[in-house]
Amino acid sequence: MRDEPGHGHEPVDGPPYRWTPERMRASRPSPLPMRPSWPGGEGGGGRLPSSVLGLASPPERLRPPAEGAQVWTLLLSQQGPRHEAAGAAALTAAEHGVYSGLEPGAARRRFAVVRGGLRLLAAAHLGCLPGRVAVLDGACPLCARLHDCVAAGEGAGPVHLSWDRCGDLVVYALAGTTVGVGAAPFAEDSDPAARGDARRAARRTAAGRALIRGGCAAGPGTIGDRTVDQVAVPRGYTAAVVCRAAVPSGPERPAAIA
């Protein structure tokens, strides 16, 4: 399937983008997202824009935001063989073993695209090759939930990250502090109560993933000293991101995210 024009994706034909040490050394950090935000959809006029991640031509260097998070999105239905190859090229040997063990098809492509996209974004922030990025995103040993994920490279990092998948949409958030992102289906023609429920579901997911390790003792869905932002995403979805403050303003008093 060829990508729709105007959404920042590259066509699927042609060789995949190759990330080399020479390109990393020659590239310069970009202070802004390199692809436009979604023009429509839930949160299109909100405070926090998102950028479309094109795996065939990923950002090489990104300057972490001074505060808050950078958010990137992609639609799985718009990812072709070229994007799958680019994502697979960013995987570690262990991840590539998982990828190779999957039957060719949607599940295999999804693994390469989602995991490879995460590594490409982390590498762009850290200034190192995607395969040399150490990603800590396993389940918390205290609560078995996914929260407070970080990535680091040789002599760089860490960068905090989070991602969520909802149907066709994948949302990534990267920040200098603990961050969480959540997405939920959203019907613009539904009643106000249903729209409110969808937004709350996205915020709860984001809040749960923005808990620091050990902070889960306060209970799921709680966090202190945080900011909550609605994110611009494609039509049919709503998303939110939660960031912890860089410097706590006082003793943490967990508060429910609603």
Side-chain angles (χ1 to χ4, degrees), residues 175-219:
T177 60
T178 303
V179 65
V181 68
F186 184 85
E188 295 184 14
D189 58 354
S190 61
D191 62 83
R195 295 197 298 269
D197 288 343
R199 294 187 182 106
R200 281 189 289 272
R203 291 197 296 266
R204 283 194 297 269
T205 298
R209 293 180 177 177
L211 283 169
I212 62 171
R213 296 269 166 157
C216 47

Side-chain angles (χ1 to χ4, degrees), residues 136-150 161-162 178-180 205-217:
L136 174 62
D137 65 345
C140 172
L142 298 179
C143 67
R145 295 175 181 268
L146 183 66
H147 64 93
D148 197 14
C149 302
V150 296
L161 52 90
S162 180
T178 303
V179 65
T205 298
R209 293 180 177 177
L211 283 169
I212 62 171
R213 296 269 166 157
C216 47

Side-chain angles (χ1 to χ4, degrees), residues 21 24 36 41 48 66 81 109 132 136 153 179 185 212:
M24 287 300 310
L48 191 61
R109 178 169 295 174
R132 304 300 295 272
L136 174 62
V179 65
I212 62 171

Side-chain angles (χ1 to χ4, degrees), residues 7-194:
H7 283 169
H9 289 291
E10 301 296 329
V12 299
D13 52 339
Y17 183 89
R18 295 299 179 190
W19 196 301
T20 65
E22 290 75 18
R23 275 180 168 157
M24 287 300 310
R25 285 193 293 268
S27 62
R28 293 184 294 178
S30 170
L32 298 174
M34 297 178 66
R35 296 188 180 277
S37 175
W38 294 95
E42 165 71 356
R47 292 180 296 165
L48 191 61
S50 67
S51 295
V52 181
L53 174 60
L55 270 71
S57 55
E60 292 183 344
R61 291 298 301 274
L62 291 170
R63 182 176 297 123
E67 59 182 17
Q70 284 184 349
V71 182
W72 298 75
T73 62
L74 62 81
L75 292 176
L76 292 170
S77 61
Q78 294 185 351
Q79 309 307 305
R82 188 184 184 195
H83 306 102
E84 180 180 354
L91 302 177
T92 64
E95 291 168 339
H96 208 281
V98 175
Y99 167 76
S100 299
L102 296 172
E103 291 290 333
R108 190 181 197 216
R109 178 169 295 174
R110 183 169 60 244
F111 180 84
V113 167
V114 174
R115 192 67 183 178
L118 180 69
R119 287 195 165 277
L120 288 168
L121 286 174
H125 277 273
L126 297 170
C128 60
L129 299 177
R132 304 300 295 272
V133 174
V135 178
L136 174 62
D137 65 345
C140 172
L142 298 179
C143 67
R145 295 175 181 268
L146 183 66
H147 64 93
D148 197 14
C149 302
V150 296
E154 294 181 359
V159 60
H160 296 259
L161 52 90
S162 180
W163 68 273
D164 193 25
R165 177 193 165 212
C166 179
D168 194 35
L169 175 68
V170 180
V171 187
Y172 302 95
L174 293 95
T177 60
T178 303
V179 65
V181 68
F186 184 85
E188 295 184 14
D189 58 354
S190 61
D191 62 83

